[in-house]
Structures are given as C-alpha cells and as structure tokens.
Amino acid sequence: TRQIVADYMIPMPVWKSSYRLIFGDSGDPTLEGWAIVDNTTGEDWTNVSLALVSGRPISFVSRLYEPRYIQRPVAELPGEMAQAPVIYGGAIEMEADLQENRTAAAKTAVMADRRLRAEMAAAPPPARAPGEGFGGFALGRVAALSSVAATAATRELGELFEYRFSTPVTVRKSESAMLPFLQQKVEARKLLVYSGANSIHPMNAAEITNSTGKTLDGGPITVYESNAYAGEALVETLKAGDKRLISYGVDLGTRITTQFDSKAEVVREIHLRRGILTTRTAAVETKTFTIRNVDQEPKTLIIEHPVRPQYKLLNLKPTETTANAYRFQVSLPAGATEKFPVTEERVFQRTFEIANLTPEILLTYIQNKDLSLDARTQLEQIVDQKRQIAENAAELQRTEAEINTVVQDQGRIRQNINSLNRVRGQEQQVQAYARQLAAQEIRLASLRDHSSELQRRQTVLQSELNFLIERMEF
C-alpha cells in the first residue's frame, strides 16, 4: 500500500512510519515522525533522492497453490497476555462548536508549519538510532525531543501523499535507515476511554488533532509522559485537521461496572382507519455506567456506547458519533463515584383488524393517557358494541345447550313409554311420561323461538358493529 520512489525503479518493500508523542510538563505535546526504510535491493543507495508516497490502492497476493488447513486458536490465561492495541474510528458527527474550534486550530497550525519549514536548516538524515527499535518501541533511549530537524517537504498527489527529503540519502544494502519527516507541536489532550471490551478498567488515552497541516501516515506511536515511557498505540492514516483517539495503557485507578434495565412497552400513537388499527409502541432500555475514580486527581472519561440499529437516544446528546458508537464525555472528580445512564428506545409499529380484537385488549389502549378524547370515545363505542355481541352470543349458546338437553331428555322419555306399553298395569306411569313429554314440547318451542330471536339480534349487532368500524377514523 506504500512504495518508495527513487531515481531508478527497482522492486522495493513498503516503508513504515513510527511516531513519538511526547507530553511535557507544560504546553502542547510534540509529535515526532520517523520513516523506516529498508534497502533490500542488493546494492547500495548512495546519495539518492528519496520520496516516500503514502496511499491505499487495492493490491493483494493470493496463495493459490498452497493447501489450506484449519488452524486451532491459541488460548492463554488473561494475565499472561499484554493488552492489545485498539484502533479507534474517526467521528462522523460532532458538536458544532468543537468542530469550529478544531478547524481554526488546524488552519493556525498549517501557517506555523510553513514558517517552520522556511526557517529549518538542512541537516543530514541519520541512520537508525542506537537502541531505537521498530514498531513504536524505544529501548534504552531518553524520551527527550530529538535534536534532528525533519527535512521532508510534503505535498498532495491526488489520492496519495508524498514526503520528499531535500537532502540525498545513503543506505547500504541490507541495511535500514530512520528518516525524520516530522517534528512539530500538535493539539492533544490526555483522557480515559472505556469501550466495554470485557474489562472493568478504562484505557489511558489521548485525543490527537492533526494540526500539523500534513497527512500523517498510519503507524505505531510511542507515548511519553514527563520524560517517561507510558505505552504504545496504533493510529490510522490521519488527514490534516482530522482527529483520532489512541489508547496506550490500562488505567487501574478507575473501575467501571454496568447495569441494564428495561421497561414494559409504552404505547406512543394509535390510529384507526377503515377498520385497521395501527399502533406505535416503544421499548425503553437503560444502561447505567457506575464509575469509581480511586485516584485523588480529576479525570476526563470518554464512554463508547454502541450504535444499535432502530434504537434512538433519549434526552442525551453524544459528544461525537462514529460509524459504530456514540461517545459521551464524563468528568470524574478526584476520589468520587459517578453514575452515567444511557437510555434508548426502540419503536415498533403494528397493525391489527379491530374486528378481531377482544374488548379486554381494546381497554388497554383506551386506558393510555396519550390517547385523545375523540379516539377514546370511538373505541369505547366499539368496546360497548363488542360486549353486547359477546353477551348475545353467550345467551344464544346457553339457549342452544338447553334445547339439546331437552331433546335428549325427550328421547329418553319416549324410550321409557315404548317399554312400559308392553307391560300390563303401567298405564298411569305411561300417562305421567306423556304429560311430561307434552310440557317439554312447549318448553322446546319457546326455546327455539328465543334462539331464533337471538340469532336475528346477533346479525343486527354485527351489522351495527361493521358500520361503526367503517365510519370511525382517528
């Protein structure tokens, strides 16, 4: 993704960039940038003009002839592994006043950088410094500002960015060189970052704004605080005026726990049109961060809360938003405990045929405080009509059950009469059964008339309900 352009074109490895971020006792921190160049060509580079180009074209190598094997994961105890570096994404939304301040600071830094390059004397670039490692490490070296001036001129090349060194470079074959291309004050502040990544401790971090006026190539950063090694971080390529968070250590003096809470769904809107009831209900969830600052010094904490699809923040505005997370800034007093709740809601929209809803379900909507008086009155009319239909249907069911009982009893009596007619001396009992059968016939006729009336009433009530539903709208 990065290549070296020299006076002659030969196969070259990509170059690497490494930075040192130095926080002093006062003033803005200093950012040093070093380009690590490896000469793997098999011949010496003597007084070559060197330009390093940074960009991100698509290029890859695919191993087509090698067999593939499924690799087993390597599992270690948590205490045996160092904290892995985290690459934080850039913000896509932020508060307007912060954006204006950062834009003004970037413009000021660009002017200062131009003056600095005009006053800088040419100095030969050094080879790799003794004890200076790659990948952001600095071993056996005092964390002081380098005395070597950065002599690389910069310019935009379309989608790429070029660092061109004004002094010829000499690098022997199979050797490497570290070439300084940046030494400049930057806008940065120290803080803590908590992303909830399976740890109760936040990360020691810094917020860096690229106020150098240059594009900074991505790479490792070694962080120093008060001339002491503080940790290491990784950062992506950073355009002028952009900013990033970097984390370089674990803050054991701060502990964070979380607790979830959810509420029952709340009805926010109800609409009825042509018999279709549409409801909008909200499920509210709260995640509360309990933050304990053990140290006797105030701190600034950035909490990253994931952006969840279809969820919306309630009564809370993030400091900035990335593609995947909200960022909230919390001020922690010395030795204090703070609670920071993040409340979100998810709105569900559902549709029902109101004719299929029972009066009990409709009552839950009527009792909602957000429902208008007109809508409540119309729903109450539907509930009353449905109750009449339900009562009539229940009465019709009881009548039909009684008719069936009488018919079954008449069948039993007729069987008894047929049996007694074959026996002498049972004339009185036969007459008693006959009188009982006649009374049941009268009762049966009355029940059947009542059933017919109930069926007619059921039809009328249902027609009235359909008409009521058809004309109702809110």
Side-chain angles (χ1 to χ4, degrees):
T1 59
R2 289 167 289 182
Q3 58 181 329
I4 300 174
V5 180
D7 288 341
Y8 43 87
M9 299 300 297
I10 49 180
M12 306 289 288
V14 296
W15 63 280
K16 303 172 287 292
S17 56
S18 179
Y19 299 91
R20 293 199 300 175
L21 180 63
I22 303 171
F23 286 95
D25 295 332
S26 61
D28 292 333
T30 301
L31 184 66
E32 290 186 354
W34 297 78
I36 304 169
V37 181
D38 302 311
N39 183 357
T40 60
T41 62
E43 57 182 287
D44 296 340
W45 298 347
T46 304
N47 294 330
V48 298
S49 296
L50 186 64
L52 307 178
V53 179
S54 174
R56 193 174 290 181
I58 297 177
S59 179
F60 62 92
V61 175
S62 183
R63 297 188 297 271
L64 301 178
Y65 295 97
E66 296 181 10
R68 294 185 179 180
Y69 301 94
I70 297 177
Q71 300 294 328
R72 295 183 179 180
V74 178
E76 301 288 350
L77 293 175
E80 298 177 356
M81 302 178 65
Q83 183 69 35
V86 179
I87 299 178
Y88 296 92
I92 57 177
E93 294 181 8
M94 63 182 66
E95 294 179 339
D97 54 347
L98 295 178
Q99 178 64 21
E100 292 176 0
N101 293 339
R102 288 163 185 151
T103 302
K107 292 180 179 178
T108 303
V110 171
M111 298 177 63
D113 178 61
R114 290 174 179 172
R115 291 195 300 269
L116 179 63
R117 289 206 303 268
E119 298 172 357
M120 236 176 359
R128 182 184 300 168
E132 184 77 23
F134 291 158
F137 290 92
L139 306 178
R141 182 182 176 93
V142 179
L145 198 62
S146 174
S147 61
V148 179
T151 60
T154 60
R155 62 170 178 163
E156 297 280 352
L157 296 176
E159 297 300 323
L160 305 179
F161 193 82
E162 180 187 74
Y163 304 89
R164 180 172 293 275
F165 295 90
S166 59
T167 304
V169 176
T170 297
V171 185
R172 305 300 178 188
K173 64 180 181 180
S174 302
E175 293 184 359
S176 302
M178 294 188 66
L179 309 177
F181 65 88
L182 178 70
Q183 187 184 77
Q184 199 166 331
K185 296 289 186 180
V186 293
E187 181 184 344
R189 60 171 179 149
K190 292 187 289 185
L191 38 76
L192 305 178
V193 176
Y194 181 74
S195 302
N198 301 322
S199 175
I200 64 172
H201 300 290
M203 304 294 293
N204 285 318
E207 182 186 71
I208 302 176
T209 299
N210 184 6
S211 55
T212 65
K214 306 172 183 178
T215 295
L216 300 180
D217 193 68
I221 298 180
T222 304
V223 182
Y224 296 90
E225 295 181 2
S226 301
N227 289 335
Y229 170 81
E232 300 158 20
L234 284 175
V235 68
E236 294 178 312
T237 298
L238 200 59
K239 286 287 188 177
D242 200 0
K243 77 176 182 67
R244 284 292 189 278
L245 292 174
I246 62 169
S247 58
Y248 53 88
V250 178
D251 178 36
L252 301 178
T254 306
R255 295 190 293 269
I256 301 177
T257 57
T258 58
Q259 181 178 359
F260 287 93
D261 184 29
S262 61
K263 297 181 180 179
E265 292 187 9
V266 179
V267 179
R268 294 290 172 83
E269 295 181 19
I270 302 177
H271 301 283
L272 177 62
R273 181 180 175 84
R274 301 187 67 85
I276 302 299
L277 186 69
T278 303
T279 64
R280 290 175 60 86
T281 58
V284 179
E285 297 182 5
T286 300
K287 183 177 183 180
T288 302
F289 298 85
T290 302
I291 311 160
R292 170 64 175 166
N293 181 12
V294 179
D295 296 327
Q296 299 305 309
E297 60 180 19
K299 301 175 182 178
T300 299
L301 172 68
I302 298 294
I303 294 178
E304 285 198 333
H305 182 74
V307 175
R308 299 190 292 173
Q310 300 179 353
Y311 277 83
K312 178 183 178 181
L313 287 174
L314 296 180
N315 303 323
L316 195 61
K317 184 177 181 181
T319 304
E320 60 185 24
T321 304
T322 69
N324 301 312
Y326 301 111
R327 287 177 179 165
F328 305 98
Q329 180 171 309
V330 183
S331 297
L332 303 177
T337 299
E338 297 286 333
K339 288 186 179 293
F340 188 81
V342 179
T343 303
E344 297 174 292
E345 72 169 7
R346 182 178 180 181
V347 177
F348 301 87
Q349 180 169 313
R350 300 184 176 95
T351 58
F352 309 92
E353 289 188 17
I354 197 170
N356 297 331
L357 297 180
T358 64
E360 290 74 21
I361 295 178
L362 290 175
L363 279 176
T364 61
Y365 296 121
I366 293 174
Q367 294 169 358
N368 189 276
K369 297 180 180 180
D370 296 328
L371 194 64
S372 66
L373 179 60
D374 179 62
R376 181 175 290 107
T377 301
Q378 294 187 56
L379 287 181
E380 287 175 347
Q381 292 177 4
I382 294 178
V383 169
D384 182 66
Q385 190 71 15
K386 279 181 167 289
R387 281 178 172 171
Q388 293 184 46
I389 292 176
E391 292 173 358
N392 189 82
E395 179 65 21
L396 178 61
Q397 185 176 7
R398 288 193 296 270
T399 301
E400 294 292 336
E402 188 174 354
I403 290 174
N404 292 333
T405 301
V406 172
V407 170
Q408 292 176 1
D409 195 38
Q410 282 184 331
R412 178 183 61 81
I413 293 175
R414 289 189 177 94
Q415 290 180 355
N416 291 339
I417 291 175
N418 291 333
S419 299
L420 291 176
N421 284 332
R422 301 186 184 95
V423 180
R424 291 182 178 182
Q426 298 294 327
E427 290 79 4
Q428 293 182 353
Q429 185 63 36
V430 170
Q431 292 177 359
Y433 277 136
R435 289 191 297 269
Q436 184 177 355
L437 187 61
Q440 286 183 340
E441 281 294 332
I442 296 172
R443 175 61 178 164
L444 185 60
S446 176
L447 288 174
R448 284 174 175 169
D449 290 340
H450 185 55
S451 176
S452 299
E453 180 62 27
L454 291 175
Q455 290 177 359
R456 286 192 297 271
R457 176 174 170 76
Q458 189 78 4
T459 302
V460 172
L461 290 173
Q462 188 63 49
S463 299
E464 292 176 351
L465 176 64
N466 295 338
F467 177 75
L468 195 64
I469 291 174
E470 186 67 23
R471 68 182 181 87
M472 282 189 176
E473 182 174 342
F474 56 82

